[in-house]
C-alpha cells in the first residue's frame, strides 16, 4: 500500500481517466500547435513580405555624369551584397530609318529580366545573339522593319534584329534595348546608370547607399523614394496586423483551454477529498495536480510543435510559394505559454477546493 | 415545464454556463475580428499602395516617342499632340468611374529663367499641374498622386503666377519661399514675353522633379499657347489584381466574356474604357505599379484569410472542448432525469436547446466585441489614412458567426450527450453519489 510511488499514481490517474486525459491533451496540443504555427509565420513574415516587394524592381538608382568606371558594377554588387540585383544601362539617342529620334539603351538582358519582372516581354532574346533588340511597344510604329531595325548614331549605322516587344506603360515603351557589348561597340558610349535592387527595408537601403557613396564618390546615388517608403510602411502595418492577430488567437485558445482544464480539475473534487481524508497535505495534493497538468502540457508542446510547424509550412507554401522551415527559436515561447496555461488550470481551482470539507464532499454535498 | 427546466438550468448553474459562454464568446470574438479584418484588408492595403502613384497613364494617340534620358527630355518642344483638359470630365462617366481615386494632368513647358535684376538666362523645365482641383466629388491633382513629394510652403492657387520649385532648382538659383524670379518662354513657343513668378513652396521629390518648376496648369497652357491642352494624364484607380482572364484581348472575346471582362475593375478594363471615352487618347496600365501591387495585395490578403481559417479552427476546437466538458460534468443530471422517466429524445432536446441558446447569445455578444476589436485594431494599425474605419459593423458576418458558433457548440456537445445517454442511469447515479 505504501509502495504506491508518485510515478505510479500519475500513470494511473492519466490512464484511468483516459477520455478526460485525451481531451485535455488535445486541448494542450491545439494551443501549442496554434502558437507554434503563428509564431513561426510571424518570425518569417518580414523576410517573406520583403521578398514580395522585390517585384517592384530597383529601389536605388546610381547615375554618373559621364560614364561609370569600368568596374562599377562589380563594386556596386560587392557593396550591396550577393542577394541584391543590379543591372547597368547605357543610353544614346539614335535615329531610326524613318527619321525619328529614339532612345536606345544597352544593357544585360539576363540581369534586367531578373530585376524588372514587371516588364511584359513577348520573347526575351537569346544571350548568344549579339545584335538582338527589344522594341518598346510605341517604338514599333516608328521603324520600317521590326526584324531588321536600322539605327544611326553619329554617322554610324547598325542593324538590329528585333526579337520581341516590351510593354510597361512607362518610359521603356518608347525605347529600344540591345546588348551592352554591341551598344558600346557601335556608339562608343559606356554605361551611365546602374539600377540596384536591395532587399530588406529602409534601413538596409540607407546603409547600402552610404556604402555605395563611399565606394563610388563621383556618382549620384539616389533611392527610389516612393518604393522605399511604401515598402516599409506596408511591411510595418502587416507586421502589426499579424501581431494583433497572433495575440488575439493565442488569448482565445489560452482562455478556452484554461476553462476546459480547470473544469476538469474541479470535477475531481472527490479525488481531492479522498486524498485529503487519507492524510495528504494541501501542498502534496497541489503538487500532484500540477505535475499531472505539466506532463500533459509537455506532451502537448511536443505534438503541437510538429503539427504547428507543418501548418506554418503549408500556409506559407500555399500563400507565398516558399517554404517556412520549423523555427526552434519559437519553442521556448510555446513552452512557456503552455506551461503557464497548465499551471493556471491546476492552481486556479485551488481556492474553491481549499474551502471544501472532505467529509461533506465525500458525503456527496 | 420544458421552459422552466431551461430557465432554471441557466439560473442555477451560473458558473458552468459562464465558462462555456466565455469560451464561445472569445471564439466568436476572435473569428469575427479576423474575418472583419480580412474582408477589409484589400481596401486598406490598396490605400497604402497608393504611395506608388498612378497605375494608369493616358497620352495622346498621335504622340511622338518620348526621348527622355535620365529625366532630360530631348524631344523637340514644339509640335506633338495634346489631349483636351475638358475631355477629362468624361473619365467620371466611364463604367468604373467611381473607382477612379485620382487624376493628374501634366503639361511640360521649356522656360528660360533669370534672377530678378540679372540678365543671365538659365534653361529650365516647367510642368503645369493641377494642385487641388475640383474633379466631381474629388479633390485631386499632382500632390494626391505623388504622396512621396514633400512640400515646404504651399501649393499655388490656379491661374496665379505663383509657382513651386524643386529643391535642386531652388538651390541652383538661391531661391527661398517668398522670392520671385523672371521667366521667359523659350524660343519656339508663342509670345516670348517676360513674366515674374513668385515662389510659394519648395518641393523635394527624390527624382527629376527636383530640378523643375511646378506651376498651375492654366499658367502653363497660357505660356505654351494651347488652351485646354495637356500632354499626359496620370490616373489612379482602385483595381482588381490581374489574373489570366484580365490579360485577354477584349476584342477577341465572345460578347458574353467581353461583358464580364468589361465589368470587372481590372486596370486593363479601366484603360479600355478610358480609350473608349477619349478616342484620341491611348491609355495604358503602369505595369511596374499595377503588377506588383496586385502581387503584394494578393499575398497579404491571402495571409489574412489563412490566419482567419486558423483562428476559426482553433476557436472551433476550444469551443467544442469546452462544450464537451460542460456536458460531461452534468451526467448526474442526465441520470436523474432518465430515472424519473424522461425520454432520451426529450433530454437531448433540452441540452441542445441550452447549448443553442448559449451559442446564439454568446455568439452575438462575440460578434459585437469582435467588430469593435477589429475597428480598434484597424484604426490603430492604419492610423492616419482618414476614414478607413468606416465600416465598423459588417452585418453579413452576424449570421455567419452565430451559425458557426451554433454548429461548433452543438457539434462539440453531441459526443458527450450521446455517451451520457447510452450509460445506465443507475450506474451514473451511483458513481456520482
Amino acid at each position: 500500500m505504501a509502495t504506491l510511488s508518485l510515478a505510479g499514481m500519475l500513470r494511473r490517474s492519466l490512464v484511468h481517466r483516459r477520455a478526460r486525459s485525451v481531451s485535455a491533451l488535445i486541448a494542450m496540443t491545439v494551443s501549442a500547435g496554434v502558437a507554434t504555427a503563428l509564431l513561426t509565420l510571424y518570425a518569417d513574415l518580414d523576410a517573406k513580405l520583403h521578398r514580395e516587394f522585390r517585384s517592384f524592381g530597383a529601389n536605388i538608382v546610381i547615375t554618373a555624369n559621364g560614364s561609370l568606371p569600368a568596374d562599377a558594377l562589380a563594386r556596386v554588387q560587392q557593396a550591396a551584397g550577393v542577394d541584391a540585383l543590379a543591372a547597368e544601362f547605357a543610353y544614346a539617342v539614335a535615329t531610326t530609318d524613318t527619321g525619328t529620334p529614339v532612345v536606345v539603351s544597352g544593357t544585360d538582358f539576363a540581369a534586367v529580366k531578373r530585376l524588372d519582372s514587371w516588364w511584359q516581354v513577348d520573347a526575351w532574346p537569346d544571350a548568344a545573339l549579339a545584335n538582338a533588340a527589344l522594341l518598346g511597344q510605341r517604338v514599333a510604329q516608328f521603324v520600317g522593319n521590326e526584324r531588321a531595325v536600322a539605327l544611326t548614331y553619329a554617322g554610324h549605322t547598325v542593324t538590329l534584329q528585333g526579337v520581341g516587344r516590351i510593354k510597361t506603360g512607362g518610359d521603356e515603351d518608347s525605347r529600344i534595348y540591345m546588348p551592352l557589348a554591341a551598344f558600346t561597340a557601335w556608339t562608343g558610349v559606356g554605361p551611365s546608370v546602374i539600377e540596384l535592387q536591395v532587399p530588406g527595408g529602409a534601413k538596409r537601403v540607407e546603409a547600402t547607399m552610404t556604402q555605395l557613396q563611399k565606394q563610388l564618390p563621383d556618382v549620384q546615388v539616389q533611392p527610389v523614394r516612393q518604393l522605399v517608403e511604401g515598402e516599409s510602411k506596408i511591411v510595418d502595418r502587416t507586421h502589426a496586423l499579424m501581431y494583433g492577430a497572433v495575440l488575439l488567437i493565442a488569448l482565445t485558445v489560452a482562455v478556452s483551454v484554461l476553462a476546459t482544464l480547470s473544469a476538469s480539475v474541479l470535477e475531481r473534487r472527490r479525488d481531492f477529498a479522498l486524498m485529503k481524508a487519507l492524510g495528504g497535505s494541501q501542498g502534496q495534493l497541489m503538487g500532484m495536480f500540477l505535475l499531472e497538468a505539466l506532463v500533459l502540457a509537455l506532451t502537448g508542446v511536443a505534438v503541437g510543435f510538429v503539427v504547428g510547424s507543418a501548418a506554418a509550412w503549408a500556409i506559407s507554401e500555399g500563400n507565398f510559394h516558399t517554404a517556412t522551415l520549423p523555427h526552434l527559436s519559437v519553442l521556448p515561447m510555446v513552452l512557456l505559454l503552455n506551461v503557464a496555461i497548465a499551471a493556471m488550470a491546476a492552481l486556479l481551482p485551488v481556492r474553491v477546493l481549499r474551502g471544501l470539507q472532505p467529509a461533506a464532499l465525500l458525503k456527496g454535498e | 415545464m420544458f421552459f422552466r427546466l431551461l430557465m432554471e438550468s441557466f439560473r442555477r448553474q451560473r458558473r458552468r454556463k459562464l465558462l462555456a459562454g466565455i469560451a464561445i464568446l472569445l471564439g466568436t470574438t476572435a473569428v469575427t475580428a479576423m474575418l472583419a479584418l480580412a474582408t477589409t484588408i484589400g481596401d486598406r492595403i490598396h490605400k497604402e499602395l497608393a504611395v506608388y502613384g498612378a497605375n494608369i497613364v493616358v497620352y495622346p494617340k498621335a504622340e511622338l516617342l518620348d526621348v527622355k534620358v535620365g529625366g532630360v527630355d530631348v524631344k523637340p518642344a514644339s509640335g506633338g499632340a495634346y489631349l483636351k483638359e475638358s475631355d477629362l470630365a468624361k473619365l467620371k462617366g466611364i463604367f468604373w468611374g467611381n473607382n477612379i481615386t485620382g487624376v493628374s494632368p501634366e503639361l511640360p513647358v521649356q522656360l528660360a529663367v533669370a534672377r530678378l535684376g540679372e540678365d543671365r538666362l538659365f534653361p529650365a523645365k516647367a510642368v503645369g499641374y493641377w494642385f487641388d482641383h475640383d474633379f466631381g466629388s474629388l479633390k485631386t491633382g499632382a500632390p494626391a498622386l505623388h504622396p512621396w513629394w514633400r512640400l515646404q510652403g504651399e501649393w499655388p492657387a490656379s491661374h496665379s503666377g505663383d509657382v513651386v520649385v524643386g529643391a535642386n532648382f531652388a538651390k541652383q538659383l538661391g531661391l527661398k519661399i517668398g522670392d520671385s524670379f523672371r521667366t521667359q518662354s523659350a524660343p519656339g513657343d508663342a509670345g516670348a514675353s517676360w513674366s515674374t513668378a513668385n515662389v510659394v513652396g519648395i518641393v523635394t521629390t527624390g527624382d527629376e522633379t527636383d530640378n523643375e518648376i511646378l506651376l498651375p496648369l492654366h499658367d502653363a497652357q497660357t505660356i505654351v499657347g494651347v488652351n485646354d491642352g495637356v500632354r499626359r494624364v496620370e490616373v489612379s484607380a482602385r483595381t482588381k489584381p490581374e489574373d489570366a482572364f484580365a490579360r485577354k484581348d477584349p476584342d477577341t472575346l465572345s460578347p458574353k466574356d467581353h461583358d464580364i471582362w468589361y465589368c470587372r475593375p481590372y486596370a486593363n478594363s479601366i484603360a479600355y474604357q478610358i480609350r473608349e471615352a477619349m478616342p484620341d487618347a491611348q491609355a495604358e496600365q503602369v505595369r511596374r505599379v499595377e503588377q506588383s501591387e496586385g502581387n503584394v495585395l494578393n499575398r497579404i490578403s491571402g495571409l489574412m484569410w489563412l490566419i482567419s481559417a486558423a483562428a476559426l479552427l482553433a476557436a472551433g476546437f476550444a469551443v467544442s472542448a469546452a462544450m464537451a466538458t460542460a456536458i460531461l460534468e452534468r451526467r448526474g443530471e442526465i441520470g436523474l432525469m432518465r430515472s424519473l422517466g424522461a425520454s432520451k429524445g426529450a433530454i437531448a432536446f433540452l441540452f441542445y436547446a441550452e447549448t443553442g441558446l448559449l451559442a446564439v447569445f454568446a455568439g452575438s455578444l462575440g460578434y459585437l466585441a469582435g467588430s469593435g476589436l477589429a475597428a480598434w485594431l484597424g484604426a490603430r494599425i492604419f492610423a492616419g489614412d482618414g476614414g478607413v474605419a468606416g465600416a465598423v459593423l459588417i452585418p453579413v458576418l452576424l449570421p455567419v458567426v452565430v451559425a458557426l458558433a451554433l454548429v461548433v457548440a452543438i457539434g462539440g456537445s453531441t459526443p458527450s450527450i450521446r455517451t451520457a445517454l447510452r450509460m445506465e442511469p443507475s450506474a451514473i447515479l451511483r458513481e456520482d453519489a
Side-chain angles (χ1 to χ4, degrees), chain A residues 315-333:
Chain A
I315 286 181
S316 68
E317 187 73 23
N319 192 41
F320 294 104
H321 306 294
T322 49
T324 293
L325 296 175
H327 276 245
L328 274 181
S329 56
V330 306
L331 204 52
M333 272 294 285

Side-chain angles (χ1 to χ4, degrees), chain B residues 95-96 242-251 253-273 275-276:
Chain B
F95 188 83
W96 284 108
E242 195 172 89
D243 48 34
F245 185 58
R247 278 180 217 113
K248 292 228 165 78
D249 179 0
D251 297 329
L253 292 172
S254 70
K256 199 173 148 230
D257 281 352
H258 179 90
D259 285 352
I260 297 175
W261 188 89
Y262 196 89
C263 296
R264 284 193 187 162
Y266 296 128
N268 280 348
S269 348
I270 295 176
Y272 185 83
Q273 289 157 11
R275 287 198 292 270
E276 279 182 341

Side-chain angles (χ1 to χ4, degrees), chain A residues 143-231:
Chain A
V143 298
N145 180 359
E146 264 187 66
R147 288 278 139 205
V149 185
L151 295 171
T152 315
Y153 174 80
H156 302 281
T157 302
V158 75
T159 305
L160 300 173
Q161 187 187 346
V163 292
R165 286 196 188 179
I166 314 170
K167 196 173 172 183
T168 69
D171 290 342
E172 295 84 1
D173 280 357
S174 21
R175 290 181 182 157
I176 295 177
Y177 286 84
M178 62 185 287
L180 185 60
F183 180 86
T184 309
W186 166 43
T187 60
V189 176
S192 59
V193 173
I194 294 180
E195 291 190 0
L196 178 66
Q197 206 256 333
V198 181
K203 273 203 195 102
R204 168 119 192 247
V205 170
E206 261 165 47
T208 311
M209 281 175 52
T210 325
Q211 188 75 19
L212 285 170
Q213 207 55 272
K214 226 180 280 167
Q215 282 269 333
L216 301 157
D218 311 329
V219 303
Q220 261 193 338
V221 180
Q222 279 194 313
V224 181
R225 200 198 275 176
Q226 65 266 43
L227 290 189
V228 177
E229 276 180 10
E231 176 169 346

Side-chain angles (χ1 to χ4, degrees), chain B residues 39-64:
Chain B
T39 45
T40 54
I41 187 85
D43 278 354
R44 291 180 197 272
I45 295 288
H46 183 87
K47 283 221 172 71
E48 298 294 317
L49 287 167
V51 299
Y52 293 135
N55 47 8
I56 295 172
V57 288
V58 187
Y59 50 87
K61 211 177 236 170
E63 167 80 308
L64 292 172

